[in-house]
Amino acid sequence: MKSFIVKIGLYFIITLSIIITIACGIFMAISKNHYTFSYESNSISYNMKAGFIDWNLKKFNNAKIIVIGSSMDLNNIDALMIEKNFNLSTFNVASWSMKIRDFTKFHLWDNNNIVICNIQFPDFGNSEIEIKNRYTFEINKLSEIFNIILDHNTYMEQIKEVPFLSSGKASNTYEYCKFDECGSVLFNDSNFKKNFKRWNLDYFKTKKIESEMMNDWVADLKGIIDSHKRRNKIIITFSPSRGKIYSQEKSELVQKLGLLIKEKCTNVYFIDKYDLNYSDNLFVDSYHFNKNGADKFTREIMTVIKEQKLIN
């Protein structure tokens, strides 16, 4: 009898501890502390961007220029510079590893925005993002609480990381995720902790990028265009990589991509900057720029946009 009572007591204590832990997590979700975070996916970058959008919903809803995509846009496009130069409210909704198809259900396609998406070879292939809320950054609080209850351990792991990722302590690392007022994250141009493997990574070779993967990417873009009534002006850019992994084969494949986009997708403009020869001191790895690199590249594409009068 005594053993039975002890077991019941332990069960009660464990259950109560779990309930208290979950309740604390839910309270953190509801209370919207100073960290921008909304639990909607398996990606902490996506969840931090979702929280940032929630905090800046008016600016997001009123934005005339929207930057979408992966870290090729989060880190390589200076949305604040675009906003100042064109005098149009600009919002960068990109986050790590997102593919073009991950943006299919977003309401931004219904608002007649100008959409900018920079890509590189890591953007082709299958998506790694598992989104819990119908493929959109927008979520209500009840849905978020439901997500937390169903996957509480992952939520607690991520929420513990947020203070570091959004602090100055992370500013010299690839994980840095403190957004500027337009949602971009530009890497430090000095004292950055480069990873040797990333510095020499050739995604084209490791993932065996082929024309078929590019065809699939264009099909996803065309699917987005065809499934929405409004016709957004879409600008696709292709950024350069470190000179060490540049090749003529890749350059020709990017040119074929441009022709395919022109053939298949209406209201889409392709700006090919792959052949630009940027010095290594503008990169933090094979594909990501530091702040100086991102600013240089953003100026490059703004020049083309102005020359072709893509933004009036």
Side-chain angles (χ1 to χ4, degrees):
M1 184 67 179
K2 184 184 252 186
S3 175
F4 176 74
I5 293 173
V6 170
K7 288 180 180 179
I8 291 294
L10 286 173
Y11 176 79
F12 176 77
I13 292 171
I14 293 171
T15 302
L16 184 62
S17 298
I18 293 172
I19 291 172
I20 291 173
T21 303
I22 292 176
C24 289
I26 292 173
F27 176 76
M28 290 169 71
I30 294 173
S31 63
K32 281 297 178 190
N33 53 28
H34 62 287
Y35 305 126
T36 58
F37 184 88
S38 185
Y39 191 54
E40 304 181 28
S41 77
N42 63 330
S43 167
I44 190 170
S45 172
Y46 183 104
N47 295 338
M48 291 177 72
K49 181 54 67 76
F52 179 78
I53 290 173
D54 190 33
W55 270 77
N56 297 275
L57 199 55
K58 184 177 180 180
K59 180 176 176 60
F60 173 66
N61 288 333
N62 293 331
K64 300 302 181 184
I65 302 175
I66 299 286
V67 179
I68 69 169
S70 65
S71 56
M72 293 298 106
D73 296 87
L74 176 67
N75 306 127
N76 285 3
I77 299 291
D78 188 340
L80 184 57
M81 178 186 287
I82 292 174
E83 179 174 86
K84 290 179 178 178
N85 271 264
F86 290 105
N87 197 28
L88 292 172
S89 181
T90 302
F91 208 106
N92 188 333
V93 302
S95 72
W96 303 342
S97 300
M98 288 193 75
K99 309 295 186 186
I100 190 72
R101 68 178 65 95
D102 291 326
F103 291 91
T104 301
K105 301 294 184 181
F106 278 53
H107 296 310
L108 64 92
W109 304 109
D110 301 319
N111 295 334
N112 233 13
N113 300 305
I114 297 163
V115 178
I116 297 175
C117 179
N118 178 58
I119 58 175
Q120 244 289 347
F121 290 110
D123 290 298
F124 302 109
N126 296 324
S127 177
E128 301 172 5
I129 305 293
E130 297 174 8
I131 304 172
K132 305 173 184 293
N133 188 50
R134 299 173 300 171
Y135 300 94
T136 171
F137 277 116
E138 300 167 61
I139 187 173
N140 61 54
K141 193 49 56 187
L142 185 61
S143 296
E144 184 181 5
I145 291 172
F146 187 67
N147 292 341
I148 294 170
I149 293 172
L150 290 182
D151 194 6
H152 180 256
N153 290 338
T154 304
Y155 167 76
M156 291 305 295
E157 289 173 5
Q158 289 191 3
I159 200 69
K160 288 176 183 176
E161 292 183 57
V162 172
F164 171 72
L165 298 185
S166 57
S167 73
K169 294 179 181 179
S171 61
N172 291 325
T173 72
Y174 297 106
E175 291 75 30
Y176 188 48
C177 218
K178 184 175 182 179
F179 311 112
D180 63 24
E181 62 189 81
C182 289
S184 294
V185 177
L186 306 184
F187 289 133
N188 277 354
D189 44 30
S190 61
N191 301 317
F192 193 89
K193 298 177 182 177
K194 295 186 179 75
N195 178 288
F196 180 78
K197 184 177 179 180
R198 290 184 57 150
W199 183 248
N200 294 292
L201 176 65
D202 188 345
Y203 198 94
F204 183 85
K205 291 182 178 179
T206 58
K207 295 298 182 180
K208 299 179 180 178
I209 303 296
E210 299 176 346
S211 57
E212 188 62 34
M213 297 171 74
M214 291 189 167
N215 292 342
D216 291 342
W217 190 93
V218 174
D220 288 334
L221 177 59
K222 186 177 187 303
I224 289 173
I225 295 169
D226 292 345
S227 62
H228 292 83
K229 294 179 180 180
R230 291 181 181 267
R231 289 291 177 261
N232 303 76
K233 184 178 288 184
I234 303 172
I235 301 169
I236 306 295
T237 66
F238 205 104
S239 56
S241 57
R242 281 187 62 225
K244 182 178 180 179
I245 63 172
Y246 172 88
S247 75
Q248 189 61 37
E249 176 190 8
K250 296 172 190 172
S251 178
E252 291 173 0
L253 202 56
V254 175
Q255 291 173 36
K256 289 180 181 178
L257 172 66
L259 292 174
L260 188 62
I261 290 174
K262 185 177 181 180
E263 175 190 349
K264 300 290 186 181
C265 303
T266 58
N267 282 6
V268 176
Y269 302 86
F270 185 66
I271 301 175
D272 180 3
K273 293 296 182 181
Y274 175 71
D275 291 332
L276 290 176
N277 184 19
Y278 280 12
S279 61
D280 281 358
N281 63 6
L282 297 178
F283 291 88
V284 296
D285 62 19
S286 293
Y287 302 103
H288 295 87
F289 302 130
N290 58 27
K291 185 182 187 303
N292 286 337
D295 287 348
K296 179 179 175 65
F297 179 67
T298 303
R299 283 193 295 270
E300 299 265 13
I301 63 174
M302 285 196 307
T303 298
V304 177
I305 289 171
K306 289 176 181 178
E307 289 175 349
Q308 297 188 17
K309 299 180 179 179
L310 301 181
I311 297 178
N312 299 321

